[in-house]
Amino acid sequence: MITEGSIKTPEQIVSMKHACKIVAEALMKAESHLVVGATTRDVDDFLRHFIENEGAKPAFLGLYGFPATACISVNEEIVHGIPGERKLAEGDLVSIDCGAIIDGMYSDHARTFLVGEKKEEDKLKLISVAKKALDIGIENSHAGNKIGMISNSIENYVLGEGFDVVREYVGHGIGTQLHEPPSVPNFGDKDKGALLRVGMAIAIEPMVTQGTWETKVLNDKWTVVTKDGKLSTHVEDTVLITENGPEVLTRLK
Ligand code: MG
Ligand code: MG
């Protein structure tokens, strides 16, 4: 079994950067579509048109049979929510996960947003802890480090803040496929996992829960929710390992 991440060529890196910039812009612009009364399908339609207008292909549409451009997961939904007729409501916590393909190279990116004017403290805290966990994971993404350095640093930080991290779904290598080796868990020992090397790209994606880390999948066979019904957030960046350290490709400069 291959557990090492693939090393990208300079040409592949150019395409990945382009694919990453498109999803970064798409998610930034999607936030203005997260209004009370909009359906999750409206948000998905915006994302699909944006990505296609930029000359890219939506990475998730049709992948493993997924029927939409983005995974849109609301409140207790963690990941893989299917966009549809659900109307967004005041105070909803919405995680959008989206990817694009340019010249066969993939990007993967997620952010959690809050709908409406009511900014409840517990929800803001859950978002900021997930974002900080992602930043801490990125800081540990140096060539020569084991993936476990990322995993362990995320877990320690999140647990220290009184939240938990999902165990059953993890980050991953990314390149000519959306999901490539190695796995990038949000928990575990710091000396475990593949060695990071210059030219690898990984998607780091903490899923932070208010209650326990346990999950279940709804009858639609896609939507993953917290087992205890408590809130969850999900943020993700695609990160290139360079000789000068981690380069986050899914953030606009
Ligand atoms: Mg993703
Ligand atoms: Mg991912």
Side-chain angles (χ1 to χ4, degrees):
M1 193 178 78
I2 308 165
T3 54
E4 290 286 306
S6 62
I7 304 299
K8 276 70 188 172
T9 66
E11 294 75 21
Q12 287 179 321
I13 290 170
V14 169
S15 299
M16 272 194 87
K17 284 184 175 176
H18 189 181
C20 286
K21 184 168 175 275
I22 291 167
V23 283
E25 280 181 12
L27 279 206
M28 192 191 70
K29 293 193 164 134
E31 187 173 10
S32 65
H33 294 259
L34 296 173
V35 293
V36 173
T39 67
T40 52
R41 179 171 289 132
D42 294 335
V43 180
D44 193 72
D45 286 344
F46 162 75
L47 288 164
R48 181 173 184 170
H49 291 134
F50 183 89
I51 289 169
E52 288 178 348
N53 282 339
E54 292 291 320
K57 264 176 44 183
F60 297 2
L61 188 63
L63 186 72
Y64 316 124
F66 189 74
T69 293
C71 298
I72 303 183
S73 308
V74 183
N75 297 333
E76 78 286 0
E77 297 172 358
I78 305 166
V79 286
H80 305 165
I82 302 174
E85 295 312 307
R86 179 179 187 149
K87 283 194 167 72
L88 296 175
E90 180 75 29
D92 274 348
L93 197 60
V94 183
S95 299
I96 305 180
D97 187 358
C98 192
I101 311 169
I102 288 281
D103 296 330
M105 299 305 290
Y106 282 71
S107 61
D108 198 359
H109 182 44
R111 285 290 182 266
T112 301
F113 305 96
L114 206 44
V115 177
E117 299 303 314
K118 207 167 78 185
K119 307 292 184 196
E120 292 158 90
E121 276 303 313
D122 59 336
K123 293 174 183 171
L124 288 173
K125 175 85 177 165
L126 204 55
I127 293 173
S128 75
V129 168
K131 187 76 192 315
K132 178 95 187 283
L134 176 58
D135 288 342
I136 289 171
I138 291 166
E139 282 165 21
N140 282 286
S141 302
H142 288 271
N145 280 2
K146 292 272 183 75
I147 291 283
M149 290 279 289
I150 300 171
S151 310
N152 193 258
S153 64
I154 291 175
E155 181 183 21
N156 282 342
Y157 168 69
V158 173
L159 268 59
E161 291 293 322
F163 298 120
D164 215 335
V165 283
V166 168
R167 309 292 205 261
E168 287 124 325
Y169 302 88
V170 297
H172 48 89
I174 179 167
T176 57
Q177 305 289 323
L178 181 68
H179 297 127
E180 293 185 356
S183 288
V184 185
N186 299 302
F187 62 94
D189 296 335
K190 63 176 187 297
D191 53 357
K192 290 264 172 67
L195 198 63
L196 291 172
R197 292 178 297 149
V198 171
M200 278 172 60
I202 52 174
I204 305 176
E205 50 179 313
M207 288 149 254
V208 176
T209 57
Q210 212 176 26
T212 75
W213 56 267
E214 291 167 295
T215 69
K216 63 180 181 187
V217 179
L218 297 185
N219 287 339
D220 65 15
K221 304 255 197 307
W222 278 104
T223 313
V224 180
V225 299
T226 56
K227 210 169 185 176
D228 59 13
K230 294 192 175 174
L231 298 171
S232 172
T233 49
H234 174 221
V235 293
E236 175 174 27
D237 278 314
T238 297
V239 179
L240 179 69
I241 310 303
T242 80
E243 53 195 16
N244 301 316
E247 184 178 353
V248 187
L249 305 186
T250 40
R251 293 187 193 177
L252 300 170
K253 303 268 186 317

